[in-house]
Amino acid sequence: MNAENADKEKSAFHLRPLRPATCGTGEARLAPTAPCALRLAICAMIRVLPPEIVAQIAAGEVVGRPASVVKELVENSIDAGAREIRIEIADGGKRMMRVADDGCGIPAAEVELAFQRHATSKLTSAEDLARIATLGFRGEALASIAAVSRVTCATRAAGAETGTLIRLEGGEVVICRPVGRPPGTTVTVEDIFFNVPARRKFLRSSATERRHIDAWVTRYAMAYPDRRFVLVHDGREVFRSPGTGQMRDVLVAVYSVEVGSTLLEISPEEDAAVRVTGFASPPHLHRAERGEITLFVNGRWVQDARLTYAVIQAYHTFLPTGRYPLAVVSVTLPPEDVDVNVHPAKAEVRFRDGDGVFRAVQRAVRRAVTEESGIPTMRVVPGPAFIPRVPEARPPERPTGELFRPVPMPVVSPPVSPGGLPPLRVVGQVAATYIIAEGPDGLYLIDQHAAHERVLYERLMAQRETGIPVQPLLEPVVVDMPPEWAGLVEAHQETLHRLGMEVEPFGGNTFLVRALPAALAATHPREVLMEVAQGLAEEQMVKGTEEEKEKAIIRRVCRQGAIQAGQILSREEMEELLRMLEGCASPRTCPHGRPTMIHISTAQLAREFQR
Ligand code: ADP
Ligand code: MG
């Protein structure tokens, strides 16, 4: 969207660098450094602009590019109660855009009025502005579109004998006569910006304009699953939503069967003032960009950095860093609690209780992700055996059974843990990396490193509240740092101390590690400190709140402090690890978002063996 805004801005203004003034008129009214062009403009006589220029300027706010025409026309069709909306485009909208609907139509007597500025059937009083339930309300779209293109509109109101055909060119009515047609409205827009060469020049390639149109059509299809949308580009149907009323069906049409069927449903809280519904990706499905977080407020697509952040926040520790969820989130609240009249293209809104909406979205998405997120299921692919590459097995570094030494173990565990893991029985270890376990519903393969990272992370986060127990090292360990890291470690010494890492400067770029958090399994103080230092060097760990910083450090500590792949574990250690994992609130992913386990159900095993 940033790109879209940038495009818009570029096409609206073409700024040239300012030059010092060199001409000599009107000095008295201007600062000496003002540019000459500006000075001349100000010196010229003030006059009221002719109506066609006013219309073009106003149109510039609403009609930025072909996609904004499609958006406005589709909004009108939705407001008209259409069940089916058909969008036909030629040449990325540069040549032609047509939106046809089976909605309520426009009565013959009002057709010309509909194309005048500030003419709307959706508002009658100023009070209405405080509770807008329609997508349109400014009465500007049709007038703006007509001002900068050639528009033909054929419409027939439900119950009227005949329809009306009107054609406008550059805002002037050239035809208006009765016409026979079924109820509904078809608006055809040709030659966009034919009379605004400056704008026409800034149109992008057909492919780019087409992408923007596709984005708008799919957004509205997702927001209105009960309407059928059909999109045709240059004679070829490229998208169709089924109009079944099920958002998941639309998601299948927009993304794919695979993505559509794996998205988790966000179910609304009973009786909540702010209703949050939609779909969100399970933790194993993520994207490189945050652009796939789609937000609707009362059926209107909005850009809202804060709500986008609420969705991202809901995935805290579930996703690898730099990855974002895919989500379609629809917020419904009383119209009087949201101001939609803050942006000419109506793409931004303001909430009466922004914090409340933020919390509602974050909570709802978090619930969907934690409660419903299933353990990724293994797809067994027939074919040659697949041998994963794993680091070479290392012998245990301490006598077995001591691995989790300082951690008190629960004696009994409940049948189902808070995170929803069933009780698991250890069967064995494979490749010194994965634990094989049996559950009531089949086989589980657990990544020992990822699982232990999760356990450590939750333990340290909980202990952080009361003080993390430390384990002094028998001998302090000397660690040499690259100079650019040394300064960071020194600057964060106090934070590290609070998190159970006793580190002190030892001259130059050298440090002494005296103690580590007691929960850590490994005795690699050097690696733990280097990992943290590297994290500090990565910018995101030193900015943000103190809490975010500490969480990021803890994640790094866990990465090095957890048992590693390639470490042979005794049965007792494996059992201990699984019990601890069962006690976790989010046992299915590591703090960096990787899955901790893969599940193969008994039914799947039977199928694979053709039993
Ligand atoms: P707004 O949507 O803000 O009211 P528009 O300029 O988009 O302003 O439309 C002006 C009026 O034209 C609308 O209020 C509505 O009454 C009528 N109208 C526009 N498009 C349609 C349509 N597809 N079906 C029925 N009425 C329409
Ligand atoms: Mg409108």
Side-chain angles (χ1 to χ4, degrees):
M1 273 311 109
N2 284 341
E4 186 176 306
N5 284 340
D7 284 350
K8 252 188 223 164
E9 251 161 49
K10 255 188 235 155
S11 54
F13 308 101
H14 189 62
L15 294 177
R16 261 179 269 137
L18 299 181
R19 277 179 289 109
T22 49
C23 54
T25 50
E27 293 289 351
R29 288 177 60 190
L30 282 161
T33 52
C36 189
L38 177 62
R39 174 146 21 123
L40 287 180
I42 294 178
C43 292
M45 205 169 69
I46 296 172
R47 61 185 82 133
V48 173
L49 291 171
E52 50 305 349
I53 300 186
V54 173
Q56 283 189 5
I57 292 173
E61 291 201 313
V62 180
V63 186
R65 63 184 336 148
S68 26
V69 170
V70 172
K71 166 195 177 273
E72 294 293 340
L73 296 180
V74 166
E75 287 186 352
N76 282 346
S77 296
I78 293 170
D79 282 345
R83 311 305 311 166
E84 174 159 342
I85 301 168
R86 185 180 170 87
I87 302 118
E88 284 175 61
I89 307 294
D91 212 1
K94 294 196 269 189
R95 191 149 56 80
M96 192 273 302
M97 294 168 270
R98 176 176 296 134
V99 175
D101 69 50
D102 57 358
C104 65
I106 309 175
E110 296 171 17
V111 173
E112 274 198 57
L113 197 57
F115 283 88
Q116 286 181 22
R117 284 189 66 210
H118 310 305
T120 178
S121 58
K122 300 168 194 174
L123 273 190
T124 47
S125 65
E127 290 88 75
D128 290 351
L129 208 49
R131 42 169 190 278
I132 287 165
T134 48
L135 293 168
F137 59 89
R138 298 170 64 103
E140 279 186 333
L142 289 184
S144 297
I145 295 166
V148 296
S149 68
R150 299 183 225 273
V151 179
T152 313
C153 168
T155 181
R156 185 178 137 203
E161 293 275 291
T162 106
T164 312
L165 180 111
I166 187 169
R167 183 170 168 88
L168 298 94
E169 295 189 358
E172 295 293 315
V173 178
V174 291
I175 300 171
C176 189
R177 61 171 165 81
V179 71
R181 60 153 290 141
T185 305
T186 303
V187 179
T188 308
V189 177
E190 291 162 289
D191 305 328
I192 184 170
F193 302 138
F194 79 97
N195 53 348
V196 199
R199 270 292 169 99
R200 191 159 180 89
K201 231 175 29 211
F202 281 101
L203 286 174
R204 298 304 179 91
S205 70
S206 300
T208 301
E209 298 299 346
R210 186 180 152 157
R211 260 205 320 279
H212 287 278
I213 292 173
D214 294 353
W216 273 111
V217 173
T218 50
R219 275 170 204 153
Y220 273 122
M222 291 191 282
Y224 294 86
D226 55 333
R227 328 281 178 111
R228 175 179 298 140
F229 290 77
V230 180
L231 174 61
V232 176
H233 277 293
D234 301 313
R236 205 168 64 84
E237 183 179 308
V238 296
F239 174 79
R240 172 182 289 263
S241 71
T244 54
Q246 302 297 319
M247 196 200 264
R248 198 187 284 278
D249 294 343
V250 187
L251 295 173
V252 165
V254 173
Y255 294 103
S256 66
V257 176
E258 203 179 353
V259 170
S261 57
T262 43
L263 292 179
L264 307 169
E265 182 156 12
I266 303 166
S267 32
E269 258 174 66
E270 296 291 323
D271 306 324
V274 180
R275 225 178 107 86
V276 183
T277 55
F279 286 85
S281 51
H284 64 271
L285 185 79
H286 37 73
R287 297 282 195 254
E289 307 282 335
R290 57 184 73 197
E292 300 228 43
I293 299 172
T294 306
L295 299 168
F296 302 106
V297 172
N298 287 354
R300 184 188 305 278
W301 177 80
V302 295
Q303 270 178 302
D304 190 306
R306 210 153 164 246
L307 289 191
T308 303
Y309 185 61
V311 175
I312 295 171
Q313 270 273 301
Y315 283 82
H316 187 62
T317 79
F318 283 154
L319 296 184
T321 32
R323 304 292 296 181
Y324 299 95
L326 184 162
V328 181
V329 178
S330 188
V331 179
T332 313
L333 68 174
E336 56 272 23
D337 288 349
V338 48
D339 185 359
V340 294
N341 190 22
V342 291
H343 188 270
K346 300 163 289 180
E348 284 165 23
V349 294
R350 202 176 291 141
F351 298 105
R352 203 152 73 172
D353 174 18
D355 291 347
V357 177
F358 180 95
R359 277 195 303 273
V361 167
Q362 193 207 31
R363 227 181 15 239
V365 177
R366 182 83 184 172
R367 207 173 44 238
V369 179
T370 48
E371 279 175 15
E372 296 180 45
S373 161
I375 301 161
T377 307
M378 174 102 153
R379 240 171 300 154
V380 182
V381 186
F386 166 67
I387 304 158
R389 237 168 49 84
V390 291
E392 233 173 82
R394 280 191 253 120
E397 280 161 24
R398 272 186 270 112
T400 51
E402 251 191 62
L403 201 50
F404 310 109
R405 156 189 54 138
V407 181
M409 280 302 99
V411 183
V412 280
S413 50
V416 175
S417 70
L421 269 199
L424 300 174
R425 182 180 73 82
V426 171
V427 176
Q429 192 186 20
V430 63
T433 298
Y434 309 104
I435 299 170
I436 311 171
E438 183 192 11
D441 51 350
L443 176 70
Y444 289 75
L445 278 174
I446 295 116
D447 180 318
Q448 62 194 39
H449 172 68
H452 195 214
E453 268 190 293
R454 165 54 69 186
V455 168
L456 283 184
Y457 179 73
E458 291 199 5
R459 173 155 293 137
L460 290 179
M461 286 301 289
Q463 290 175 342
R464 197 170 65 108
E465 307 294 323
T466 49
I468 295 178
V470 297
Q471 173 76 34
L473 303 179
L474 283 179
E475 291 272 340
V477 175
V478 180
V479 184
D480 280 323
M481 290 267 155
E484 65 274 21
W485 290 3
L488 284 168
V489 170
E490 199 166 344
H492 287 82
Q493 217 180 324
E494 213 172 292
T495 311
L496 295 180
H497 192 256
R498 212 170 31 250
L499 299 179
M501 293 185 68
E502 287 174 19
V503 177
E504 65 188 54
F506 197 55
N509 298 320
T510 307
F511 291 84
L512 276 190
V513 183
R514 292 197 175 275
L516 286 181
L520 300 195
T523 43
H524 301 300
R526 188 178 179 279
E527 283 71 13
V528 174
L529 184 59
M530 291 299 258
E531 176 80 36
V532 170
Q534 188 183 350
L536 289 172
E538 283 169 20
E539 206 190 351
Q540 71 266 28
M541 267 178 73
V542 272
K543 58 179 197 216
T545 63
E546 190 58 28
E547 184 175 0
E548 282 163 358
K549 220 186 291 184
E550 289 189 6
K551 282 182 184 170
I553 293 175
I554 289 180
R555 277 199 295 276
R556 291 286 180 148
V557 168
C558 294
R559 179 180 283 168
Q560 277 304 322
I563 47 168
Q564 301 295 321
Q567 204 165 332
I568 296 166
L569 303 181
S570 71
R571 177 173 291 271
E572 291 73 36
E573 286 171 333
M574 291 190 273
E575 277 166 1
E576 227 172 81
L577 178 56
L578 292 193
R579 293 294 85 79
M580 293 192 291
L581 190 63
E582 283 168 13
C584 285
S586 308
R588 293 170 179 127
T589 52
C590 81
H592 308 280
R594 281 200 306 122
T596 54
M597 58 178 66
I598 289 174
H599 173 213
I600 309 171
S601 71
T602 321
Q604 220 173 336
L605 286 171
R607 223 175 18 251
E608 293 302 328
F609 287 106
Q610 299 168 14
R611 293 179 72 91

